[in-house]
Amino acid sequence: MTELPQEFKEKMKKLLGAEYEEFLKSYDQPRNFGLRVNTQKISPEEFEKLAPFHLTRIPWVENGYYYEAQDAPARHPFYHAGLYYLQEPSAMTPASRLPVNPGDRVLDLCAAPGGKATELGAKLKGRGLLVANDISASRAKALLKNIEVFGIRNAFVTNAVPGRLAEQFPGFFDKVLVDAPCSGEGMFRKDPAVAKAWDEKKPEDCAKQQKEIISRAADMLVPGGLLLYSTCTFSAEENEQVIAYLLEKRQDMELIEIPGFEGFSAGFPEAAGYASNSDLKKCVRIFPHKMAGEGHFMALLQKKAPWGNKEELTESGRTESGRTEIGRTEAGDRAGLSDIRLSKGDRRALEAFFSNVFMEMDWNEAEIRSGQVYLVPKALGQRKGIPFLRNGLYLGEIKKDRFEPSQSLAMALRMDEYAFSLNLDWQDERILRYLKGETIDVTDLGAESAKGWQLVCVNGYPLGWGKLVNGLLKNKYHPGWRMSSAGR
């Protein structure tokens, strides 16, 4: 059994009453392992047929699965192809309960390492905008990698405090997710080190920061927009009390129902000191003795439209008098490329490469900075003074009349969106050699006479680039992403 702090046990006994003993017994059970399918690349049904894992559906998350530890999915080529994200089952719930539609402007305010941001980005399907933020620079780097592996084309990855973002994005987002930094009480079984680091003052300290974060998040919502607040803790100070604080401070915010599941528990107004506020029962708690997952809390809020405003929300959640999605040119239409200031050689290199790319894109969104080429979502507009790691999709770099495509472009493509691809089965030993950065022989694939940039795929899903010369594929897989020699 996980060793639990005595003060924590006393608090949970008071919170749960008759359910406490059953709750305590759940810590004798092993943790659950989960993965969430990237629906931007593959459907859950297709994944079930393809993946060689022991999969069981997570009943309350439509693209979530339990797997067995022996499956080791983090070392499988499909993981490197971005077909899924490894995530604790309960932690999948918040992003699954925030109704994001293609075209929305979405903010994940505390996004690293990317478990929720990647799901929100997949829901957008390349339309609209995802701003994924984390105040930690090192954690934001991990966030960026996960967003790139998932093939998300329309992300702005930032590294700013919430107040700074709120100054730049007042009333801007249709949907905001706040998975707030917390005392982590719900993760004690998954990570006993969290239990050892806990002390009874931590929930109160966390709550002060959470109230500031959720207030800033509300500032950034459009009227009619939705805010989902979540934590992985049981503490009422960090959960219902934070929601009650926001509702008292902001008369334009209201709690709404979250799509339910039979294992969900209602919020605890009494534990938070708000027994008369029955609305707090609309909050959702996940307990490990009721569901096959760790502890979690969620609350879904909506910003009210101004009094007398008759605007109706569209399917995407945006008001009709609000913004419209920027139109994109069809594949192969290079409108806007002629307006980019380039030397003749650089222009020829860019045109030559992208004549073989069939991804839907708009060159009016292109920016070139020091030879590096980006597609920047126009929905972002001009934002100055925000520290960021990536603005849009990095396409690659122009080097002396040559264009070298990026790893992020490879991950954003489908196999049929590039003219030249090499497709190998995941059981082919060359896949692992490629992921380790080795040169591989592909003459058996009929590539002995071909040359140039090739999109390397596993079972039809891109992994990265290689350059073909006389049947040998020179490895262009991102050096920082390569597997170690011991990895599988």
Side-chain angles (χ1 to χ4, degrees):
M1 177 177 174
T2 303
E3 186 175 345
L4 300 173
Q6 184 60 37
E7 296 88 348
F8 169 74
K9 289 194 288 186
E10 291 173 0
K11 184 171 75 169
M12 294 306 297
K13 187 173 184 178
K14 184 178 180 181
L15 180 71
L16 292 171
E19 293 184 28
Y20 173 69
E21 291 301 328
E22 189 181 356
F23 168 78
L24 207 58
K25 289 178 183 177
S26 71
Y27 286 85
D28 291 326
Q29 303 301 315
R31 59 164 293 193
N32 296 282
F33 296 92
L35 64 81
R36 195 195 69 250
V37 173
N38 180 359
T39 54
Q40 185 171 255
K41 293 194 175 190
I42 188 171
S43 72
E45 294 74 21
E46 290 170 329
F47 182 74
E48 287 180 20
K49 296 175 184 177
L50 183 64
F53 308 140
H54 301 85
L55 300 174
T56 304
R57 285 268 188 155
I58 296 173
W60 69 92
V61 179
E62 62 182 13
N63 58 330
Y65 292 86
Y66 298 106
Y67 68 89
E68 297 181 11
Q70 68 199 55
D71 293 324
R75 297 197 292 271
H76 197 282
F78 293 155
Y79 178 72
H80 296 269
L83 299 193
Y84 51 86
Y85 188 96
L86 301 181
Q87 190 172 28
E88 192 280 315
S90 294
M92 299 179 191
T93 317
S96 78
R97 292 312 192 263
L98 184 60
V100 169
N101 300 290
D104 280 347
R105 295 178 175 182
V106 180
L107 169 65
D108 188 346
L109 189 52
C110 311
K116 296 170 179 67
T118 48
E119 173 66 3
L120 300 175
K123 286 184 174 183
L124 287 173
K125 300 187 184 303
R127 295 176 53 201
L129 174 69
L130 171 67
V131 176
N133 178 74
D134 202 273
I135 62 172
S136 165
S138 60
R139 284 170 55 83
K141 290 178 182 178
L143 167 65
L144 173 60
K145 179 184 175 181
N146 284 322
I147 283 176
E148 290 184 327
V149 170
F150 249 54
I152 296 170
R153 306 175 181 183
N154 54 332
F156 182 40
V157 181
T158 59
N159 173 218
V161 296
R164 194 166 185 179
L165 284 179
E167 292 173 358
Q168 293 287 330
F169 294 104
F172 181 86
F173 294 102
D174 303 300
K175 311 288 165 59
V176 176
L177 192 146
V178 175
D179 186 46
C182 68
S183 60
E185 295 170 353
M187 295 294 117
F188 286 176
R189 180 173 62 174
K190 176 188 172 187
D191 188 356
V194 178
K196 291 181 180 179
W198 183 90
D199 68 67
E200 57 184 328
K201 295 181 180 179
K202 192 168 185 180
E204 184 180 349
D205 292 339
C206 289
K208 294 177 183 178
Q209 183 183 21
Q210 291 154 356
K211 290 173 182 176
E212 167 67 13
I213 291 171
I214 198 172
S215 298
R216 295 298 189 179
D219 291 340
M220 290 185 270
L221 269 182
V222 299
L226 298 176
L227 164 63
L228 195 141
Y229 174 87
S230 67
T231 71
C232 58
T233 195
F234 300 118
S235 166
E237 299 100 309
E238 301 176 72
N239 295 332
E240 290 90 350
Q241 282 188 17
V242 171
I243 300 305
Y245 166 84
L246 181 69
L247 294 175
E248 289 177 347
K249 181 181 178 182
R250 300 289 299 260
Q251 299 301 310
D252 59 343
M253 299 296 294
E254 61 182 341
L255 264 173
I256 61 176
E257 298 283 353
I258 291 177
F261 177 72
E262 60 183 354
F264 288 172
S265 299
F268 289 0
E270 299 84 359
Y274 291 88
S276 62
N277 188 349
S278 60
D279 257 11
L280 290 175
K281 292 183 179 179
K282 294 177 182 177
C283 301
V284 166
R285 283 177 171 268
I286 295 176
F287 290 104
H289 65 289
K290 290 189 173 184
M291 297 174 66
E294 306 306 319
H296 233 79
F297 172 88
M298 296 179 295
L300 184 59
L301 303 109
Q302 185 167 34
K303 179 180 275 191
K304 303 173 187 177
W307 181 258
N309 188 337
K310 297 182 180 180
E311 296 172 335
E312 295 293 330
L313 292 178
T314 65
E315 182 181 353
S316 71
R318 188 171 302 129
T319 57
E320 290 292 356
S321 65
R323 304 167 292 277
T324 55
E325 179 68 5
I326 299 296
R328 295 176 182 271
T329 57
E330 293 299 319
D333 182 357
R334 306 302 165 202
L337 182 56
S338 60
D339 297 327
I340 300 174
R341 296 179 63 181
L342 293 168
S343 69
K344 290 182 179 180
D346 287 349
R347 186 180 303 281
R348 280 195 300 269
L350 202 58
E351 289 176 339
F353 182 85
F354 281 95
S355 66
N356 296 311
V357 175
F358 312 118
M359 181 178 77
E360 186 179 329
M361 57 195 299
D362 183 355
W363 281 103
N364 290 304
E365 296 182 346
E367 289 185 8
I368 299 180
R369 312 171 204 141
S370 303
Q372 296 183 323
V373 187
Y374 299 83
L375 284 182
V376 180
K378 286 190 175 179
L380 185 61
Q382 296 295 319
R383 307 288 162 181
K384 296 181 179 180
I386 301 177
F388 68 92
L389 281 75
R390 182 60 46 80
N391 186 0
L393 176 63
Y394 174 46
L395 298 178
E397 187 173 6
I398 304 172
K399 295 182 176 180
K400 297 180 179 179
D401 300 344
R402 294 180 293 109
F403 178 76
E404 294 189 359
S406 70
Q407 179 70 34
S408 53
L409 174 59
M411 302 308 294
L413 290 168
R414 296 192 310 267
M415 189 173 74
D416 62 1
E417 290 180 325
Y418 186 68
F420 308 106
S421 61
L422 294 172
N423 189 32
L424 296 168
D425 185 80
W426 69 268
Q427 297 179 87
D428 191 315
E429 55 89 21
R430 288 174 292 185
I431 284 291
L432 287 182
R433 290 175 53 205
Y434 172 77
L435 291 172
K436 292 174 183 177
E438 298 177 17
T439 296
I440 58 176
D441 188 325
V442 291
T443 52
D444 61 310
L445 300 180
E448 61 273 6
S449 61
K451 62 180 180 178
W453 290 102
Q454 303 287 318
L455 186 63
V456 182
C457 302
V458 56
N459 292 88
Y461 297 95
L463 287 170
W465 298 105
K467 207 162 188 183
L468 197 57
V469 180
N470 299 324
L472 290 178
L473 188 75
K474 294 185 177 180
N475 202 299
K476 298 295 181 179
Y477 189 61
H478 192 295
W481 292 15
R482 291 174 182 173
M483 294 177 65
S484 66
S485 297
R488 167 77 201 220

